[in-house]
Amino acid sequence: MFFSDVSTLPRSDNGITPTRFATDFAPSDLTIGANGFLHALGFEQASAGTPGLVNIYDPTIYDPTSQSRIGQVDLPPATFGLSLRALTADASGFMYAVNLMDTIYKLDQSGTIVDSLVLSGGPSAPSLSDIDIAPDGTIAVASRNGTIFQTDTSLAGFTQFSADASTLPRNDYVAFTDSITAIPEPTTVPAMVTFAVAGLFRRRR
């Protein structure tokens, strides 16, 4: 498990005792992209401000003293001032970042912006807060106004739906998971068995 306190990158193998690494780097968001690599969006400790770097690590190669990165992307001047907040990556290494306003940016492996998509909808300006990508390329984006957006790697358009708006504004977050099969509550199992037996009895009659 990797997590960040916007100071360094701690890693925990057992959920109890974290080991810090990348102590010269202050990450603002972490993601394990569809390419299997850990991407950390942030800035060097000596130049705090708008995120200007993406450090890339292989989470399967664990160096307990340094967790040496396998790559680093210096974000180009075109991203300066965009207030990038969250990041994800697809299987080809393209990165998708959202800013604090209303835009998804697609960046190539060098950090160059190659496409973008402006999102709108909901009770107020979206103020995007998180982004994630599914293995099939579906992208989900969360916002502070309770609206969840969905698009894909083409950034050709989007759909949206509203989450619970009773506690706005707040930072919502999104994540994809594998399909889950619902398991009946223990109290419903006897009732299901009763109905099944009753149905079988009626058919036999």
Side-chain angles (χ1 to χ4, degrees):
M1 177 175 63
F2 293 89
F3 58 95
S4 166
D5 55 8
V6 199
S7 175
T8 57
L9 273 171
R11 168 178 173 145
S12 175
D13 288 317
N14 55 19
I16 299 174
T17 305
T19 301
R20 290 185 178 274
F21 66 94
T23 55
D24 60 342
F25 182 69
S28 58
D29 189 45
L30 307 177
T31 184
I32 293 183
N35 57 7
F37 294 136
L38 172 68
H39 294 68
L41 172 68
F43 47 82
E44 300 289 359
Q45 290 282 20
S47 57
T50 298
L53 290 173
V54 177
N55 280 347
I56 302 172
Y57 305 87
D58 185 343
T60 67
I61 302 175
Y62 178 46
D63 181 339
T65 59
S66 66
Q67 184 69 52
S68 299
R69 64 175 179 252
I70 61 173
Q72 183 178 70
V73 178
D74 289 300
L75 297 179
T79 66
F80 295 174
L82 293 180
S83 298
L84 299 181
R85 177 177 177 85
L87 181 80
T88 191
D90 66 20
S92 299
F94 285 96
M95 297 173 286
Y96 303 82
V98 295
N99 66 358
L100 287 174
M101 299 297 292
D102 57 6
T103 305
I104 305 174
Y105 296 96
K106 182 176 182 178
L107 300 88
D108 66 15
Q109 293 86 340
S110 69
T112 300
I113 297 174
V114 295
D115 203 356
S116 63
L117 176 64
V118 176
L119 305 175
S120 62
S124 59
S127 186
L128 306 178
S129 55
D130 195 28
I131 186 170
D132 195 27
I133 191 169
D136 66 357
T138 301
I139 293 173
V141 177
S143 71
R144 285 176 53 82
N145 74 358
T147 304
I148 305 298
F149 300 93
Q150 182 173 302
T151 183
D152 57 37
T153 55
S154 71
L155 300 187
F158 65 90
T159 58
Q160 65 188 68
F161 66 90
S162 295
D164 176 21
S166 62
T167 58
L168 296 177
R170 61 170 185 262
N171 287 326
D172 284 347
Y173 299 92
V174 290
F176 287 99
T177 185
D178 294 332
S179 298
I180 299 174
T181 301
I183 300 175
E185 292 289 333
T187 55
T188 66
V189 173
M192 293 173 66
V193 172
T194 300
F195 289 136
V197 171
L200 181 61
F201 178 73
R202 294 180 109 183
R203 279 188 299 189
R204 286 187 172 178
R205 292 183 59 186

